[in-house]
Amino acid sequence: TYDDGPNPSNTNNLLNTLRSNGLRATFFNIGQNAQNNPSLVRAQVDAGMWVGNHSWTHPHLTQMSSSQIQSELQRTQQAIQQATGTAPKLFRPPYGETNSTLKSVEQQLGLREIIWDVDSQDWNGASTSQIVQAAGRLQNGQIILMHDQYSTTVQAISQIAANLRSRNLCAGMISPTTGRAVAPDGSGPASPSPT
């Protein structure tokens, strides 16, 4: 998964690198970035990626009121739907912070909350090799946190792809039903269409 995009300086490079390595991923987009760059959101979907909601401004949602949270999530749903024709089914809370108020708003909007199992630490200055090592800890069905804007993250992709293949794993889609990664061919309980 890649958070915080779309990003005019890096998203296309990231998409091209994923595609050339035969990988698909879920992009948790910030609503205002999606509104400012709708063509990049469409490019994510056109490249075979899945798009999720990562709030409008990336705030600490657990410190906000229900109506403020509603606005953050709803505006993002609308921006992504305007860009792609489909509203997201997946939501990643900024900083991985959640509480009952947030969960209630997610439920009202039909969103499944997605946290991560492995943090690549790319946001924290991890090197390409450290990002590759983090991805090497992934087990079947698990989700890794990465971000759209770092060149180290893009540089790690080919090694991550090779490592997954060597362990007979593939990059998967996140099932809106279970919130776990499943094979992207639609053989699991999830639909093969981007959500």
Side-chain angles (χ1 to χ4, degrees), residues 12-127:
N12 279 325
N13 186 20
L14 177 56
L15 291 173
N16 291 336
T17 306
L18 286 166
R19 285 180 68 177
S20 66
N21 283 278
L23 299 179
R24 296 170 74 189
T26 300
F27 284 73
F28 288 102
N29 287 333
I30 293 176
Q32 55 188 7
N33 292 352
Q35 185 179 57
N36 293 336
N37 303 283
S39 63
L40 289 177
V41 182
R42 282 192 299 277
Q44 291 169 338
V45 172
D46 291 345
M49 308 301 156
W50 300 279
V51 175
N53 182 326
H54 194 42
S55 80
W56 186 254
T57 61
H58 205 283
H60 291 279
L61 292 171
T62 55
Q63 299 167 16
M64 298 171 86
S65 70
S66 181
S67 62
Q68 289 171 312
I69 294 170
Q70 178 91 28
S71 171
E72 281 279 332
L73 274 56
Q74 187 65 51
R75 290 173 75 189
T76 304
Q77 290 294 93
Q78 289 166 347
I80 293 172
Q81 180 152 16
Q82 283 168 353
T84 67
T86 310
K89 304 247 185 305
L90 304 177
F91 169 71
R92 170 162 290 157
Y95 313 102
E97 297 170 349
T98 188
N99 62 15
S100 58
T101 307
L102 176 54
K103 286 180 188 290
S104 170
V105 173
E106 292 166 1
Q107 199 168 13
Q108 290 166 31
L109 295 175
L111 288 166
R112 174 172 279 275
E113 183 177 284
I114 305 297
I115 309 291
W116 54 86
D117 301 293
V118 175
D119 182 346
S120 71
Q121 294 281 313
D122 60 354
W123 57 272
N124 200 22
S127 66

Side-chain angles (χ1 to χ4, degrees), residues 141-194:
Q142 288 191 324
I143 296 167
I144 188 168
L145 171 69
M146 294 189 278
H147 293 81
D148 183 301
Q149 64 267 46
Y150 303 110
S151 59
T152 46
T153 306
V154 175
Q155 288 158 11
I157 290 171
S158 64
Q159 292 171 74
I160 291 170
N163 176 277
L164 289 172
R165 280 192 298 273
S166 76
R167 297 193 293 139
N168 205 24
L169 294 170
C170 66
M173 65 180 271
I174 300 171
S175 163
T177 312
T178 65
R180 305 304 292 155
V182 295
D185 62 9
S187 66
S191 135
S193 64

